[in-house]
Amino acid sequence: MPSRNAVDPRRLVGVHAERITHISSTDYPGHYPDEDNSWNLEKFQENLQLKVQRLSQRSIEFDLVGVDASIANAFRRILMAEVPTVAIEHVYVWDNTSVIQDEVLAHRIGLVPFNIDPALVDMRDAVSQATDRNTIVFKLQVLCERNKNVPKGSKNPAELFINHEVLSSHLVWEPAGEQAVVFAANPPAPTNPNIVLAKLRPGQAVDMELHAVKGVGKDHAKFSAVATASYRLLPHINIKKPIPPELAEKFQNCFVPGVINVDPYTKEVTVDEHNVRKDTVTREVLRHPEFSDMVELSRIRDHFLFNIESEGAYAPERLLPEAIQIMRDKLATLKKAAEALLHSDDAPAEEDVQMAD
Amino acid sequence: MKGSEPDLSAATYQIYDESHTIGNALRWMLMKNPKVEFCGYSAPHPSENTIQVRIQMYDNLSSLTALIDALSALDTLCETVDEAYKTSLKEDAYERWVERS
């Protein structure tokens, strides 16, 4: 029984028991005789499908169909490494008598995600001064004390002591210059107030000044705008021959629940076209010799199931447009450089041509 | 770089501060051009932040023009994806849910 919506076999990456086949795309000019596979914008616009599947306040899932892996991968790489966010970069320690060393505590503080919109902050380079446009200052002042009114016999540190933990909610924003106005609607603060940064005991204190700057994930992972950004290919299951009714249940159990439907009366086996995306392609079915000539597993090469989780400044639905904009900025810079090269000298020198950005 | 033809029908371009992100996408778009005989890229060393793109053309055409065309085509591609995304986000019916931390 052929699958109901048959997929062009050229789009499939074959998944076999011990190997995968047809991994690379073949839609290049000259690959197939008498076929034009050159870049065609109209054809691309026609084939492109982009559909949001799920959206929550911290993650988004969408399908991107009809683009090459190199494009999907470029977006994924930009999301992780090049979408800027604001994180704490400079830590000035006035006092730290906790058991956590200064540098370890500074590192932990650097990893705290903030709700600061990166569009409101300028990038600061290594040599420039801190200004109210490129730096946001926080104070962290926590002193642990004994609690005078402890319930008798209590062993709970939360009752015995005041401030026995340094939490991300202890970070206090210090507005500088015009920041009080710019950030009035959304005062800078950690997105999660319950991150434990250090533990204290009575008499121990932490007193620090923290400077947050804008940066990108390729510099340090703390600047990464996403918690994860990943894609996988849509699984495709082709049932070549009807599955015998007595084996229907065994066949169904080889897949993730919901992927295979078995008709309760006729025991006819079908692939659930909506739930097939849930399949993890475990190849369990290929371990059973009785199914060997009945089923073909594959993935669709140009059907990407994206999953992006945001942890911080950007709403999840804002992330992809930001990544695309960064990609387009990069392309514009390159194009400008290439055009300058084209007009600079029509006869290239024997030596390398050097271009500044 | 060295190894280029005087008419730029074959040339290697070194791009600073770029990586596989641009390299692979650009290589794919150049290979979609039927006038390109060969296109490949490499990141010569992981600690040097550069890539090198090699382009060889048929019919002694200019590889630099092909490069510029590929950059423009990639830009329209990005624009198309961006528009499709915004349309889907605005118009499609999709599941909204609340994710607890």
Side-chain angles (χ1 to χ4, degrees):
Chain A
M1 187 197 71
S3 171
R4 227 161 284 157
N5 54 351
V7 178
D8 179 0
R10 274 186 202 171
R11 289 174 64 204
L12 296 179
V13 178
V15 178
H16 306 281
E18 290 185 18
R19 69 207 168 96
I20 48 173
T21 54
H22 305 98
I23 302 157
S24 307
S25 50
T26 55
D27 54 345
Y28 296 112
H31 193 96
Y32 298 103
D34 305 324
E35 264 186 55
D36 176 34
N37 276 308
S38 60
W39 172 245
N40 183 326
L41 182 61
E42 284 84 49
K43 219 164 128 190
F44 173 74
Q45 283 170 333
E46 201 178 293
N47 287 334
L48 179 74
Q49 286 174 43
L50 208 157
K51 196 172 179 317
V52 180
Q53 298 289 343
R54 290 177 96 203
L55 174 67
S56 81
Q57 81 282 17
R58 48 201 307 157
S59 71
I60 185 166
E61 285 168 41
F62 60 88
D63 287 17
L64 178 58
V65 192
V67 302
D68 189 73
S70 61
I71 307 297
N73 196 36
F75 292 151
R76 183 192 63 86
R77 286 174 66 99
I78 291 174
L79 282 167
M80 291 199 293
E82 293 182 57
V83 177
T85 61
V86 178
I88 287 168
E89 173 78 355
H90 302 286
V91 175
Y92 301 94
V93 183
W94 312 134
D95 186 15
N96 172 23
T97 47
S98 74
V99 293
I100 308 276
Q101 299 91 326
D102 292 358
E103 60 272 31
V104 179
L105 184 56
H107 177 246
R108 289 177 66 80
I109 291 170
L111 297 171
V112 173
F114 285 92
N115 65 351
I116 305 162
D117 186 347
L120 301 175
V121 183
D122 292 345
M123 202 67 103
R124 175 176 160 192
D125 55 46
V127 289
S128 63
Q129 289 275 314
T131 70
D132 57 345
R133 294 268 170 94
N134 62 24
T135 306
I136 291 165
V137 179
F138 291 87
K139 284 272 169 69
L140 181 61
Q141 290 169 321
V142 186
L143 169 66
C144 180
E145 285 171 313
R146 233 169 252 290
N147 185 0
K148 301 255 163 44
N149 323 310
V150 194
K152 217 168 167 66
S154 168
K155 297 225 166 129
N156 181 1
E159 292 175 345
L160 285 170
F161 316 121
I162 300 165
N163 287 336
H164 76 295
E165 284 175 336
V166 180
L167 297 172
S168 53
S169 57
H170 286 128
L171 298 172
V172 181
W173 172 48
E174 299 265 301
E178 61 177 25
Q179 286 175 358
V181 183
V182 174
F183 295 104
N186 188 16
T191 48
N192 185 336
N194 302 317
I195 304 169
V196 179
L197 298 169
K199 296 211 170 190
L200 302 179
R201 281 298 176 262
Q204 297 181 343
V206 168
D207 184 357
M208 295 173 160
E209 187 174 317
L210 317 166
H211 290 191
V213 300
K214 188 166 156 177
V216 290
K218 62 182 171 184
D219 173 34
H220 192 293
K222 69 185 175 186
F223 290 118
S224 188
V226 295
T228 65
S230 64
Y231 60 72
R232 59 199 182 93
L233 299 178
L234 180 73
H236 183 75
I237 301 162
N238 182 16
I239 301 175
K240 293 196 291 187
K241 276 193 215 164
I243 308 294
E246 68 275 15
L247 293 175
E249 218 146 275
K250 187 178 179 187
F251 186 81
Q252 188 180 34
N253 288 334
C254 290
F255 295 90
V256 170
V259 171
I260 299 293
N261 291 329
V262 176
D263 190 293
Y265 302 108
T266 62
K267 298 283 178 198
E268 192 201 0
V269 175
T270 49
V271 178
D272 190 308
E273 294 300 340
H274 181 70
N275 281 336
V276 74
R277 64 177 58 235
K278 287 185 187 164
D279 193 37
T280 50
V281 196
T282 57
R283 315 181 198 189
E284 169 70 11
V285 68
L286 302 178
R287 292 181 62 236
H288 302 284
E290 59 268 41
F291 297 133
S292 60
D293 56 343
M294 296 177 188
V295 66
E296 246 175 15
L297 299 183
S298 51
R299 288 178 180 274
I300 299 174
R301 192 184 297 109
D302 62 351
H303 191 135
F304 299 92
L305 311 175
F306 262 88
N307 180 24
I308 304 174
E309 291 174 25
S310 165
E311 191 63 60
Y314 295 93
E317 66 272 22
R318 250 185 81 193
L319 281 163
L320 186 72
E322 290 288 337
I324 293 176
Q325 192 52 52
I326 290 163
M327 175 99 175
R328 294 186 66 185
D329 292 346
K330 281 153 103 54
L331 292 168
T333 313
L334 274 179
K335 200 176 157 189
K336 224 169 103 187
E339 271 163 1
L341 197 60
L342 185 67
H343 298 305
S344 65
D345 193 356
D346 284 342
E350 289 89 66
E351 290 166 46
D352 295 357
V353 185
Q354 286 290 330
M355 277 298 310
D357 276 330
Chain B
M1 296 187 76
K2 276 211 175 112
S4 67
E5 296 291 324
D7 59 355
L8 283 181
S9 64
T12 308
Y13 298 88
Q14 184 158 39
I15 305 174
Y16 288 88
D17 294 332
E18 290 298 350
S19 59
H20 299 278
T21 309
I22 285 290
N24 198 12
L26 193 58
R27 182 207 58 116
W28 174 76
M29 186 52 90
L30 277 158
M31 281 175 70
K32 287 292 252 180
N33 183 343
K35 298 287 177 204
V36 171
E37 180 196 25
F38 172 85
C39 177
Y41 83 101
S42 71
H45 194 278
S47 65
E48 286 170 8
N49 200 13
T50 63
I51 54 166
Q52 292 169 357
V53 184
R54 175 76 180 174
I55 311 169
Q56 288 169 208
M57 304 293 294
Y58 288 118
D59 309 334
N60 289 328
L61 291 162
S62 165
S63 61
L64 193 52
T65 346
L67 179 69
I68 293 169
D69 290 348
L71 289 167
S72 316
L74 271 180
D75 191 59
T76 51
L77 181 150
C78 287
E79 194 181 357
T80 314
V81 174
D82 195 29
E83 277 167 16
Y85 177 80
K86 283 175 177 156
T87 317
S88 171
L89 199 62
K90 212 160 60 185
E91 291 171 9
D92 282 357
Y94 47 87
E95 182 189 348
R96 283 172 187 272
W97 57 299
V98 176
E99 196 167 352
R100 305 246 167 253
S101 53

